[in-house]
Amino acid sequence: RPTRARQLVIVFAVTLAIITYIDRVCISQAESFIRQDLGLTKVQMGYIFSAFLFAYSLFEIPGGWLGDLIGPRKVLMRVVTMWSLFTAATGMAWNMTSMIVCRFFFGAGEAGCFPNLTKAFTVWLPQHERVRAQGIMWLSARWGGAFTPLLVILVLELMHWRWAFVLFGSIGVVWAVFFYRWFRDDPREHPGVNAAELALMEGSHENASGHGDVPSGKFLSSGTVWML
């Protein structure tokens, strides 16, 4: 009978998807408190929000490339810890510049999340299970974004906004520790996977070592890609 270790990979992905949206949405709910305490205008807060978006778009492809190079286990442990620390550091910011720096590095960390979760799926899941796993993960991410405002409002009623960011940042650190201890880039190296489950993943482990050269020229010359 096949073991079900691969399903725990989906559980890790789901929980991390929720954490990403908690960490990125919480600042919008705390905006009024931040502006009041730091004396910021709405325009300055716009710069702070943009710092996250700019870094997120800039580092998503490098984050996926790094996962191909050294494996999603090391990359996810690093980027989740990184963005969690800068989530906590957001609660320690003292002016617009320090807030922009925190949100930029927060975005740079989060950019590596979903490319490397997808990498983990391609290695750990049979091909016929990957699309469903992606659907479950993105459903969870959207629900994370939906209930986060209510969660943040509740937390802000219990503590100062600065400590709320520290609290939300600590959740990611806990995830990173458990994930790094359990996950392996190649399921054949995991003690919780038996031969029957490996047979279900036949051929998937070949994705662990990365892939061939990306045809960047074809992408850049494609009208469809530019439209996207």
Side-chain angles (χ1 to χ4, degrees):
R1 184 185 298 273
T3 49
R4 297 178 178 270
R6 68 191 187 283
Q7 295 181 356
L8 196 53
V9 175
I10 301 176
V11 172
F12 273 114
V14 165
T15 53
L16 188 60
I18 294 173
I19 291 171
T20 62
Y21 275 78
I22 290 176
D23 288 348
R24 72 174 66 174
V25 172
C26 63
I27 191 171
S28 62
Q29 299 302 309
E31 177 189 2
S32 60
F33 299 103
I34 295 172
R35 287 197 292 111
Q36 180 179 353
D37 285 1
L38 300 185
L40 302 175
T41 66
K42 288 188 176 182
V43 173
Q44 290 173 319
M45 287 301 301
Y47 293 143
I48 292 168
F49 291 145
S50 296
F52 161 77
L53 295 171
F54 177 72
Y56 193 86
S57 62
L58 187 65
F59 286 96
E60 187 140 357
I61 291 177
W65 169 81
L66 192 60
D68 280 333
L69 186 66
I70 65 175
R73 180 173 182 252
K74 292 180 180 179
V75 175
L76 282 170
M77 185 272 292
R78 285 166 170 76
V79 298
V80 175
T81 301
M82 174 182 172
W83 93 57
S84 298
L85 292 177
F86 279 101
T87 297
T90 302
M92 305 173 191
W94 62 93
N95 59 16
M96 183 185 73
T97 301
S98 60
M99 187 71 77
I100 286 176
V101 170
C102 288
R103 301 312 289 179
F104 179 87
F105 285 105
F106 166 73
E110 276 215 346
C113 172
F114 291 110
N116 281 280
L117 287 179
T118 299
K119 172 75 173 181
F121 284 169
T122 62
V123 175
W124 272 80
L125 300 179
Q127 190 167 2
H128 67 275
E129 294 183 1
R130 295 173 193 168
V131 175
R132 180 173 58 183
Q134 287 279 358
I136 293 171
M137 180 181 69
W138 285 107
L139 171 71
S140 304
R142 296 301 184 256
W143 273 108
F147 73 70
T148 290
L150 299 176
L151 174 64
V152 175
I153 289 172
L154 176 62
V155 171
L156 291 175
E157 289 179 353
L158 299 174
M159 63 183 67
H160 195 274
W161 67 268
R162 293 185 180 275
W163 286 110
F165 278 95
V166 174
L167 172 64
F168 292 134
S170 64
I171 297 174
V173 174
V174 172
W175 185 96
V177 171
F178 279 96
F179 175 80
Y180 189 76
R181 293 188 61 179
W182 184 88
F183 186 79
R184 297 294 182 272
D185 288 329
D186 191 332
R188 295 176 299 179
E189 300 174 358
H190 198 286
V193 179
N194 66 8
E197 187 172 23
L198 283 175
L200 293 176
M201 311 175 196
E202 184 178 2
S204 297
H205 67 272
E206 297 174 359
N207 297 319
S209 58
H211 50 70
D213 293 336
V214 176
S216 302
K218 289 186 178 180
F219 282 125
L220 294 176
S221 62
S222 168
T224 303
V225 170
W226 283 107
M227 289 296 292
L228 288 171

